[in-house]
Amino acid sequence: MSDVELKDFEIAQECPPRDARQIFHAVDRAQNKPVRLTVFSSDMSQRPEFRRALKTDRAMLSMLMHQSIVKFLGSGESDGQLFLWTEDCEYESLGEQLEQERTFSAEDVIEIGWQVCSALQQSHNLGLAHGGLTLDAVLLSDNMQAIVVDFGVARWLNAAAASSESSSDGPALITISALASRVEVERDLNSLAAILSRLLQAVTDTSEVTESGKVSTKVALERLLARVTSSNPALRPVSAREFQGRLGEILIGTEDDSMPLVDQRKSTTTSKRSIVVELFESTASGEPSSPATTQSAGSAWPKQILPILFAIAIIFIITMLAGLLR
């Protein structure tokens, strides 16, 4: 932990309290810049597993550089309380905006999901799962810029809780992994799907088909979210990148039940390209062969010999006519 203390921050505004922590809009006196300050309770700060988990993730948090992730700036301890600070963000959370009855279009929901998927993919690439995606962990601006906050916090709290539950049986052996597991990645994707499903309830357009007869964007998105949360592993996206790609397919109007999904491809683990990129590639190599190239040698032979026979017949007729005229 750094030598920075809570007295080095000037509190500007207190946000609604969260589980085992308080969040403030504050000013870093040394840098004279606004920050988002998270202060954990004294009880939580003293739990060994919580301290170990925060310390484990700290280096990876500092490596998160994404336009949809609030930038981690540092952590410290003051009078037995652990705290961390990030760049400030005054956007309201999705939860607050729903309480204020903000409405969204299906395209808005996809845009939010696209940005969060992008943020999750970078964190998963680094081995860091969010662990606690909720409506309160995603902030949104008026012009639809999504910002994800509280990376790792829920996992640290869960590690401390699990350690406390096992302490009655002896020394706590529960530790938090330095790398995101498959289960943690799936949990992040499921949490995002739950957020998008909740936002869909605020969509004003309830039509199920478009004027052209295709399913509406809302229905296509509902089907996708059902796949993400399906109990069938073959239907679920294996990564945030794939989830993002499927959202993109809906936006460009190619998502329907007949379209092959990524998990149905022969090689789902070797390609790292976005589905959307592949959709815009030239289709020349994928066009069906012309009929002439697909015919067998047996069927092509008569067509090749007929012109020769016809020419021989013409020569024979001309020769016979020449003989009669002599």
Side-chain angles (χ1 to χ4, degrees), residues 34-307:
V35 296
R36 186 175 189 268
L37 180 66
T38 301
V39 183
F40 298 98
S41 68
S42 298
D43 175 65
M44 185 59 64
S45 297
Q46 297 308 310
R47 299 190 183 187
E49 284 302 323
F50 179 82
R51 300 175 69 90
R52 186 179 297 113
L54 194 159
K55 183 177 180 180
T56 298
D57 283 353
R58 192 171 50 185
M60 287 187 290
L61 286 172
S62 64
M63 290 169 23
L64 286 176
M65 299 292 178
H66 194 281
Q67 63 180 3
S68 291
I69 301 177
V70 67
K71 185 178 179 181
F72 176 81
L73 298 176
S75 63
E77 182 173 2
S78 183
D79 297 326
Q81 285 186 280
L82 296 178
F83 61 91
L84 61 84
W85 68 100
T86 67
E87 286 184 340
D88 195 24
C89 183
E90 296 186 353
Y91 303 161
E92 292 183 324
S93 70
L94 292 177
E96 292 171 322
Q97 297 190 29
L98 287 177
E99 288 179 359
Q100 297 167 13
E101 299 184 349
R102 178 176 179 178
T103 58
F104 301 93
S105 67
E107 289 76 11
D108 290 338
V109 178
I110 291 176
E111 175 63 26
I112 294 168
W114 175 278
Q115 294 181 58
V116 176
C117 278
S118 180
L120 288 177
Q121 186 60 52
Q122 188 193 87
S123 69
H124 293 166
N125 287 343
L126 292 173
L128 183 67
H130 187 285
L133 267 181
T134 64
L135 290 168
D136 292 328
V138 180
L139 314 183
L140 187 69
S141 70
D142 292 338
N143 63 351
M144 301 300 296
Q145 171 65 48
I147 299 291
V148 184
V149 298
D150 294 339
F151 262 90
V153 173
R155 295 189 300 109
W156 309 339
L157 298 176
N158 291 336
S163 176
S164 297
E165 290 175 2
S166 65
S167 60
S168 58
D169 299 326
L173 297 176
I174 305 233
T175 59
I176 189 166
S177 173
L179 295 176
S181 66
R182 177 69 247 165
V183 172
E184 288 178 315
V185 169
E186 290 180 349
R187 186 178 297 123
D188 277 355
L189 300 186
N190 272 286
S191 297
L192 175 56
I195 291 173
L196 300 184
S197 295
R198 177 64 184 86
L199 293 180
L200 270 182
Q201 298 176 20
V203 171
T204 54
D205 182 9
T206 58
S207 58
E208 295 189 359
V209 295
T210 65
E211 294 181 356
S212 61
K214 294 184 178 181
V215 297
S216 67
T217 300
K218 180 180 180 181
V219 172
L221 181 54
E222 287 173 341
R223 292 176 180 176
L224 170 58
L225 298 179
R227 295 172 191 165
V228 176
T229 57
S230 171
S231 59
N232 183 355
L235 296 179
R236 298 195 300 261
V238 299
S239 67
R241 180 183 290 110
E242 185 180 335
F243 193 171
Q244 182 187 35
R246 294 188 180 187
L247 290 171
E249 290 165 2
I250 297 176
L251 271 185
I252 62 178
T254 59
E255 166 66 19
D256 57 47
D257 289 339
S258 64
M259 181 175 181
L261 302 178
V262 170
D263 51 46
Q264 294 171 332
R265 298 178 182 180
K266 294 181 179 179
S267 178
T268 60
T269 58
T270 57
S271 175
K272 295 185 178 180
R273 296 178 299 169
S274 167
I275 303 172
V276 178
V277 172
E278 295 181 1
L279 287 173
F280 284 107
E281 287 182 338
S282 171
T283 58
S285 61
E287 292 178 354
S289 302
S290 63
T293 60
T294 57
Q295 291 178 332
S296 66
S299 62
W301 181 82
K303 291 185 177 181
Q304 293 174 351
I305 199 66
L306 281 176

